[in-house]
Amino acid sequence: MINYEGSFNDASSLKVGIVIARFNDLITNKILSGCLDCLKRHGVDTSNTSKNLDIAWVPGSFELPIAIKALLNKSDYDVIIALGAVIKGETSHYDVVINEASKGIASLAQEKSVPIIFGVLTTDNMQQALERAGIKNNLGWNYGLQAIEMANLMKELK
Ligand code: INI
């Protein structure tokens, strides 16, 4: 039996792309900080001169898929992390935004065979979003860890 598991030990050779929505940037900036902290502590060069990390900003979560596709066509990434915050109480087109973002991200990961971490917070209100973006727990850290695990797993499965 072969037991495939993505390791968390060393992420220093991974090429990581982050695509992040500015909408609700109070939340998305905090998630980004948690995510970068995790990547850095696992060996990814997160400095401004890094050759292993690129970050692309989009207006809202709806635009995440098209920017991810462009990034994947531009360079070889081991993993992409999509970051956004869609807050139910704040929008009537919550369902449209979240459906299009999730559908687009899922189909791109399959099409390109590159793992894309779904780091889009979907919450009922701003309080819940704040709690998940650092007040209680920063899910950005989890997204970073999941990215490392999936990138290393995909390398093992090649
Ligand atoms: N985008 C988000 O990322 N989160 C939201 O909660 C949100 N709301 O509330 O509407 C949102 N809307 C913008 C959308 O993603 C697009 O940027 C916009 O419709 C332009 O295409």
Side-chain angles (χ1 to χ4, degrees):
M1 182 192 89
I2 306 175
N3 188 35
Y4 294 105
E5 278 186 323
S7 108
F8 297 106
N9 296 341
D10 185 17
S12 58
S13 64
L14 298 181
K15 176 139 176 149
V16 181
I18 296 178
V19 181
I20 177 167
R22 289 188 199 278
F23 205 102
N24 291 320
D25 71 349
L26 178 69
I27 302 297
T28 60
N29 270 313
K30 286 187 182 301
I31 299 171
L32 177 64
S33 300
C35 183
L36 290 175
D37 187 33
C38 177
L39 295 176
K40 186 178 174 186
R41 293 204 209 182
H42 287 83
V44 177
D45 176 5
T46 59
S47 69
N48 287 341
T49 54
S50 177
K51 296 211 177 331
N52 278 354
L53 176 69
D54 296 316
I55 303 180
W57 293 83
V58 294
S61 297
F62 187 83
E63 285 78 30
L64 287 168
I66 192 167
I68 293 169
K69 187 169 190 175
L71 209 55
L72 286 171
N73 286 339
K74 203 172 163 61
S75 188
D76 286 331
Y77 291 92
D78 294 304
V79 65
I80 299 286
I81 305 170
L83 299 178
V86 185
I87 301 175
K88 202 170 198 169
E90 311 286 311
T91 173
S92 54
H93 63 289
Y94 170 95
D95 288 329
V96 177
V97 172
I98 204 60
N99 285 342
E100 289 308 311
S102 55
K103 258 193 314 183
I105 287 170
S107 64
L108 271 174
Q110 305 270 348
E111 179 193 326
K112 303 283 187 183
S113 295
V114 174
I116 305 173
I117 301 304
F118 187 67
V120 181
L121 274 187
T122 52
T123 64
D124 290 333
N125 52 53
M126 180 59 83
Q127 179 61 28
Q128 280 180 0
L130 285 166
E131 285 170 6
R132 293 170 201 176
I135 286 184
K136 286 191 178 167
N137 186 19
N138 190 328
L139 284 182
W141 175 281
N142 300 40
Y143 302 143
L145 213 50
Q146 288 154 0
I148 295 166
E149 179 176 3
M150 279 307 296
N152 284 330
L153 176 66
M154 295 303 281
K155 280 181 189 282
E156 275 194 41
L157 291 176
K158 268 188 186 156

